Amino acid sequence: MKVTAAAPAKINLQLSVGALRADGYHDLVTVYQALDLRDEVTIFERAEGMGVQCGISGDFSSGVPGDESNLAVKAVKLVAELAGVSCDLNIQITKRIPVAAGLAGGSADAAAALVVAAELYGYGGDLQPLAEQLGSDVAFSLLGGTALGTSRGEVVVPVLARGNYCWVIISSSNGLSTPRVYQKLDQLRDEGAVREPLQLAPKNELLQALVSGSATEIAAHLSNDLQPAALALAPKLQRILDVAVEDGALASLVAGSGPTCIALAKDHDHALDIAARISGQNLADRVLVATSPAAGTEITAIEKN
Ligand code: C5P
């Protein structure tokens, strides 16, 4: 049997970061939204004893490891272990989500691999604890839609949201390492350059804006505590953020830990317009247009032998 699943990229409409915890993570409160920008993972079984092989293709395949460090490989091994079977699989990942970009592309691959492996092995257990083990954003990638994330981001509950939002996704090739961006934030806070939030809580104004379904309302309440840290490590991003707004975006911000920048448009045509203008200015490697919210991880094809 050959099974394919698609899993979405995420953006954070709010990303509030608390103090560093003893386990090396930061407590956070985030409002996630899934994008209709998806990676695809296809898996089929190999002969017993052959182990796992992982190939990467697609627009953003460059530099993605196919070895044990790939979260999709870790994910299938976890499911095989719990299903009590030997793990002999061929994994093919089609990368359409920019890599090391702050869009949780690696987490999307892990989520898709969990769902496909569960299907292949007939594993009916809860995938949520496995998602939590694999990374902070994997649980959201499974769920999709709009959700509130707490703890280190892995505890997710759906949030009411109306409307669809059109984004320009401006990607840079120099990936920022997520741990480094969090460390930089701690450093900036130690130096007194930025402050920790007084209260780690969802922002009511943003939640109300999501209920209203108005892009203008959402634009006024987007926030990302990691942005000063990402900008300190990659100062050129500020220009991208400014240009997006000069080019007519309702708002722009760094996506998660960056270096991708996202800009909110009024509608799809407006997003295409802004994307065309940004593309013409040679500031970014790739400029894409995507819509949120989108579905979580889902099986898109099953081929029986
Ligand atoms: O969970 P994930 O593997 O995606 O996290 C990558 C790194 O990002 C962690 O090792 C940690 O340094 C940082 N992180 C954090 N607090 C979070 C999420 C991630 O400090 N809530």
Side-chain angles (χ1 to χ4, degrees):
M1 189 158 69
K2 188 173 178 177
V3 180
T4 301
K10 62 86 187 162
I11 51 175
N12 306 80
L13 305 182
Q14 173 187 347
L15 179 48
S16 298
V17 180
L20 176 64
R21 311 192 313 199
D23 64 1
Y25 286 91
H26 294 73
D27 268 322
L28 53 84
V29 165
T30 186
V31 176
Y32 288 112
Q33 208 157 53
L35 293 176
D36 66 347
L37 174 64
R38 295 161 173 277
D39 277 358
E40 242 176 29
V41 176
T42 298
I43 306 181
F44 55 88
E45 287 180 277
R46 309 170 81 202
E48 204 172 331
M50 288 187 77
V52 177
Q53 189 181 49
C54 179
I56 326 281
S57 63
D59 298 348
F60 292 97
S61 57
S62 159
V64 180
D67 62 13
E68 300 286 314
S69 66
N70 191 304
L71 278 188
V73 175
K74 289 188 180 149
V76 295
K77 290 194 166 173
L78 272 179
V79 179
E81 200 180 312
L82 289 171
V85 295
S86 117
C87 194
D88 304 297
L89 298 174
N90 186 305
I91 306 175
Q92 294 165 354
I93 303 177
T94 308
K95 290 229 54 90
R96 300 200 185 92
I97 304 173
V99 176
L103 299 170
S107 300
D109 302 342
L114 280 177
V115 167
V116 173
E119 178 71 25
L120 283 169
Y121 293 139
Y123 175 73
D126 188 4
L127 296 180
Q128 176 75 22
L130 307 187
E132 289 177 17
Q133 206 176 317
L134 288 162
S136 306
D137 297 326
V138 182
F140 175 68
S141 210
L142 283 176
L143 181 68
T146 309
L148 182 66
T150 52
S151 187
R152 62 182 172 95
E154 84 287 11
V155 178
V156 284
V157 286
V159 161
L160 177 65
R162 288 202 176 86
N164 290 298
Y165 304 99
C166 296
W167 301 89
V168 184
I169 314 289
I170 309 143
S171 92
S172 306
S173 62
N174 307 338
L176 279 178
S177 130
T178 303
R180 242 191 110 211
V181 177
Y182 274 98
Q183 277 161 18
K184 189 70 189 176
L185 178 64
D186 292 337
Q187 188 198 326
L188 292 175
R189 283 177 173 173
D190 288 346
E191 293 166 1
V194 292
R195 269 196 294 189
E196 206 174 298
L198 292 173
Q199 198 197 6
L200 203 55
K203 295 190 172 152
N204 276 332
E205 298 87 348
L206 175 65
L207 297 181
Q208 278 163 15
L210 281 167
V211 173
S212 80
S214 147
T216 321
E217 287 288 308
I218 299 281
H221 299 294
L222 297 169
S223 65
N224 178 5
D225 284 0
L226 290 179
Q227 182 161 309
L231 290 176
L233 292 169
K236 283 185 184 157
L237 299 182
Q238 184 64 57
R239 178 88 191 110
I240 296 179
L241 296 176
D242 293 344
V243 164
V245 172
E246 283 160 23
D247 283 346
L250 299 174
S252 61
L253 80 166
V254 171
S257 54
T260 302
C261 294
I262 54 174
L264 183 57
K266 286 182 214 150
D267 52 37
H268 188 70
D269 284 346
H270 187 216
L272 288 174
D273 233 45
I274 297 168
R277 265 179 260 153
I278 293 177
S279 298
Q281 295 178 56
N282 265 341
L283 289 166
D285 292 318
R286 296 287 286 273
V287 184
L288 311 169
V289 166
T291 301
S292 68
T297 304
E298 52 195 6
I299 291 180
T300 51
I302 298 181
E303 264 178 58
K304 301 220 156 112
N305 296 338

